[in-house]
């Protein structure tokens, strides 16, 4: 690897810190709010019983250093920093300054995510007196407020731009690499189509569309605000601020048991909607707000067909979160919008693309497909040749620690292959440094390079075999044939 290549790990505040009670996700874990048994999280796992990185952050930075990494991606929790609109909490700000100082001391280049899937309650929460069990109980969020037009004037867009600018000013002296949003399409899909993230709506495609529009405008607002306010380079000779998003990019293939031609079309449409639509908006200003694969819909309110200058050129790099391959089963006529618009989804996710493949642990059950890393990086590089790429996440749920070493070696190898073929990849961040609260799966899915003993009072971190493999890869600055033979089994 070139000098300057970043080998790092990734975490997100809500998943590792504990004690975050001012976020929509906290309420989601407590639904129903009338005191009944929780309904949204597997085994009712409570994020407060997690790895307690809030208190153990110094130890976790040391753990990241011990693997040999030179970078660390983490998120600052908006709801901690701004628990009430317009009021910043000095304790939270001091905590993240301390984290950044520890990272600097450990030789870790920080990459900071401003919003990793959670929102403060003053922007998204359950209405007073409601249980939160129904999506209609939730107010605000990325879909916006009732009667609000999605776009630059939406309250959430304005609030995020303001927060991003203030954070850039506050932390810019220590940070050069910023991510505005983590996985905007996942947040929209899970929240409004699949119902597994707050507010839990099913097939509300109009809401999902509005969320995507707001997220694209929020990205632009944050991008501009960061560049305006972070004018100090933390790393001598580097740009003071490079701003991107972390984009979930699964490979979509036709479901092998479906009609091949229909499945191929549905897979291509799904790839367009899920993988490219958002990137097209923030790079080229093309916003396909009808999810129809064209940028020239006749009745488009956002100006489809002409690039939207207010959205375009708002990414300095692309962050790719790559995990898996998904097969798409076509649905003739498409899956309709429960809210009655003409929006449709082309199909549903089918069974394994390759039943003989290895899979991550249940309940994640992700098909392990290293070639997809190469293909995805080359596709991103081919579409946006002007932009460098960071792999901002890649990992595997593997409680028994039997798959992680091979997973890392094979995926880094595939990344190297893509680089040899021309992709400008500047870094690789493994998800995750430690086991953590995996959203709806609670603690059931273990992605950590360090296994966390949740039952021990000190939440002991135990180095995995996977971490040893990663350590060896970093020491060799890539996967060599020897390393592949040693760890790739
Ligand atoms: C998310 C992480 C998550 C990981 C593993 C990504 O989609 O950004 O927050 O924990 O996948 O499921």
């Amino acid at each position: 690897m070139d000098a300057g290549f970043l080998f790092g790990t990734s975490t997100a505040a809500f998943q590792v810190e504990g004690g975050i009670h001012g976020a929509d996700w906290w309420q989601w874990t407590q639904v129903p709010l009338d005191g009944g048994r929780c309904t949204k999280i597997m085994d009712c796992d409570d994020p407060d019983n997690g790895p307690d990185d809030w208190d153990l952050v110094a130890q976790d930075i040391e753990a990241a250093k011990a693997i040999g990494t030179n970078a660390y991606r983490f998120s600052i929790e908006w709801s901690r920093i701004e628990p009430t609109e317009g009021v910043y909490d000095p304790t939270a700000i001091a905590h993240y300054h301390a984290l950044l100082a520890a990272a600097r001391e450990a030789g870790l280049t920080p990459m900071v995510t401003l919003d990793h899937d959670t929102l403060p309650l003053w922007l998204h929460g359950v209405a007073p007196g409601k249980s939160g069990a129904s999506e209609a109980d939730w107010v605000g969020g990325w879909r916006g407020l009732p009667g609000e037009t999605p776009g630059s004037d939406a309250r959430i867009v304005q609030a995020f731009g303001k927060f991003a600018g203030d954070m850039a000013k506050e932390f810019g002296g220590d940070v050069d690499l910023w991510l505005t949003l983590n996985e905007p399409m996942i947040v929209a899909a899970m929240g409004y189509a699949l119902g597994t993230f707050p507010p839990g709506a099913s097939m509300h495609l109009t809401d999902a569309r509005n969320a995507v529009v707001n997220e694209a405008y929020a990205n632009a607002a944050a991008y501009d605000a960061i560049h305006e306010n972070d004018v100090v380079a933390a790393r001598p000779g580097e740009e003071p601020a490079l701003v991107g998003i972390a984009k979930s990019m699964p490979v979509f293939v036709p479901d092998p048991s479906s009609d091949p031609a229909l499945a191929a079309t549905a897979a291509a449409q799904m790839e367009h909607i899920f993988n490219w639509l958002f990137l097209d908006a923030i790079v080229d200003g093309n916003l396909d707000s009808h999810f129809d694969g064209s940028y020239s819909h006749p009745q488009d309110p956002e100006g489809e067909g002409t690039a939207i200058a207010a959205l375009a050129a708002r990414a300095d790099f692309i962050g790719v979160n790559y995990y898996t391959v998904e097969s798409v089963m076509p649905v003739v006529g498409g899956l309709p919008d429960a809210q009655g618009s003409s929006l449709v989804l082309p199909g549903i996710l089918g069974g394994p693309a390759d039943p003989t493949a290895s899979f991550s642990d249940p309940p994640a059950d992700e098909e392990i497909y290293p070639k997809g890393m190469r293909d995805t990086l080359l596709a991103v590089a081919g579409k946006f040749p002007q932009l460098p790429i960071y792999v901002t996440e890649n990992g595997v749920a593997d409680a028994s620690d039997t798959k992680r070493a091979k997973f890392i070696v094979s995926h880094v190898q595939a990344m190297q292959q893509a680089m040899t073929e021309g992709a400008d990849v500047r870094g690789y961040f493994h998800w995750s440094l430690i086991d953590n609260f995996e959203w709806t799966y609670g603690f059931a899915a273990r992605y950590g390079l360090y296994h966390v003993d949740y039952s021990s009072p000190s939440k002991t971190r135990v180095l995995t075999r996977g971490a040893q493999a990663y350590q060896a890869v970093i020491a060799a600055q890539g996967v060599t044939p020897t390393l592949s033979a040693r760890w790739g089994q």
Side-chain angles (χ1 to χ4, degrees):
M1 296 295 171
D2 285 349
F5 188 89
L6 300 181
F7 274 114
T9 58
S10 275
T11 60
F14 192 81
Q15 296 181 263
V16 296
E17 287 181 359
I20 296 175
H21 294 185
D24 55 353
W25 256 92
W26 170 254
Q27 282 197 331
W28 185 246
T29 67
Q30 306 301 304
V31 165
L33 299 186
D34 55 18
R37 186 176 159 79
C38 87
T39 52
K40 303 297 185 188
I41 308 298
M42 193 166 283
D43 300 329
C44 285
D45 281 339
D46 181 336
D48 281 358
N49 297 331
D52 192 17
D53 165 81
W54 180 258
D55 293 319
L56 302 175
V57 63
Q59 181 184 321
D60 285 336
I61 294 287
E62 281 307 307
K65 182 181 173 188
I67 306 173
T69 54
N70 62 358
Y72 182 50
R73 175 186 168 211
F74 65 97
S75 71
I76 55 176
E77 175 58 32
W78 189 357
S79 68
R80 271 196 196 279
I81 293 177
E82 193 177 0
T84 306
E85 184 170 17
V87 181
Y88 290 124
D89 176 15
T91 308
I93 290 176
H95 175 88
Y96 293 117
H97 274 302
L99 196 174
L100 285 164
R104 190 177 52 232
E105 181 74 11
L108 305 179
T109 296
M111 178 183 274
V112 173
T113 316
L114 289 170
D115 185 77
H116 196 119
D117 300 6
T118 57
L119 289 171
L121 285 171
W122 51 268
L123 276 173
H124 193 208
V126 175
K130 303 286 185 183
S131 76
S134 156
E135 62 81 23
D137 295 349
W138 291 74
V139 182
W142 285 109
R143 66 181 161 186
L145 293 163
E148 196 178 62
T149 305
S152 52
D153 291 337
R155 180 182 182 215
I156 193 165
V157 171
Q158 299 263 325
F160 189 57
K162 167 94 174 68
F163 174 69
D166 289 344
M167 294 305 99
K169 201 180 293 171
E170 181 70 42
F171 297 115
D174 277 330
V175 181
D176 296 337
L177 295 171
W178 298 92
L179 294 165
T180 55
L181 300 173
N182 182 66
E183 300 192 345
M185 293 305 297
I186 285 276
V187 169
M190 301 297 203
Y192 304 114
L194 299 177
T196 50
F197 279 22
S202 272
M203 289 307 290
H204 276 214
L205 299 186
T206 301
D207 283 342
R209 188 269 307 281
N210 291 345
V212 170
V213 171
N214 278 334
E215 288 173 312
Y217 278 91
N219 176 72
Y223 179 97
D224 292 346
I226 294 169
H227 277 295
E228 201 174 305
N229 288 287
D230 178 3
V231 288
V232 184
R235 299 173 298 172
E238 300 286 340
E239 292 284 330
L242 293 172
V243 184
I245 62 160
K247 181 73 191 66
S248 167
M249 301 284 289
V251 171
F252 289 103
V253 296
D255 171 60
S257 65
S258 301
D259 174 84
L262 291 178
T265 305
Q269 286 170 341
M270 198 70 109
E271 178 181 326
H272 161 73
I273 295 170
F274 193 82
N275 282 0
W276 301 114
L277 187 154
F278 199 83
L279 293 178
D280 287 341
I282 67 169
V283 179
D284 295 327
N286 288 321
L287 179 59
D288 176 17
S289 56
H290 291 85
F291 296 1
D292 61 0
S294 102
Y295 292 109
S296 55
H297 195 283
Q299 301 127 12
D300 189 274
E302 286 86 25
E304 217 176 271
T306 35
I308 303 170
L311 294 180
R314 296 321 201 283
D316 301 321
F317 63 88
I318 307 288
V320 170
N321 291 358
Y322 175 73
Y323 287 87
T324 192
V325 56
E326 303 279 6
S327 82
V328 180
M329 211 179 256
V331 172
V332 178
L335 288 160
D337 180 7
Q339 297 175 282
S341 80
S342 61
L343 292 169
V344 291
L345 288 183
I348 56 170
L349 298 184
D354 172 6
T356 66
S358 302
F359 292 80
S360 75
D361 288 352
D365 275 325
E366 287 179 321
E367 188 165 335
I368 299 178
Y369 185 58
K371 181 176 174 299
M373 171 71 96
R374 169 196 168 270
D375 295 350
T376 301
L377 294 174
L378 286 175
V380 173
K383 207 162 160 56
F384 307 117
Q386 74 280 23
L387 296 177
I389 301 170
Y390 289 89
V391 176
T392 36
E393 287 181 32
N394 173 236
V396 62
D398 176 28
S400 60
D401 192 23
T402 51
K403 302 165 193 158
R404 190 169 288 107
K406 181 177 177 182
F407 183 95
I408 290 173
V409 165
S410 58
H411 284 78
V412 171
Q413 213 162 22
M415 175 184 75
Q416 288 172 204
Q417 179 63 35
M419 293 168 77
T420 309
E421 293 180 65
D424 178 11
V425 184
R426 306 277 175 92
Y428 170 93
F429 292 74
H430 191 79
W431 183 273
S432 181
L433 176 63
I434 49 178
D435 289 336
N436 57 62
F437 181 79
E438 277 294 333
W439 308 116
T440 41
Y441 299 149
F443 300 117
R446 288 183 177 266
Y447 282 85
L449 289 166
Y450 286 87
H451 175 95
V452 176
D453 181 356
Y454 292 119
S455 60
S456 70
S458 58
K459 309 280 181 175
T460 314
R461 276 74 164 138
V462 182
L463 190 80
T464 61
R465 182 173 176 273
Q468 290 171 336
Y470 193 31
Q471 197 167 30
V473 168
I474 297 170
Q477 285 296 290
V479 177
T480 60
T482 317
L483 275 184
S484 178
R486 161 85 174 81
W487 296 101
Q489 320 302 319

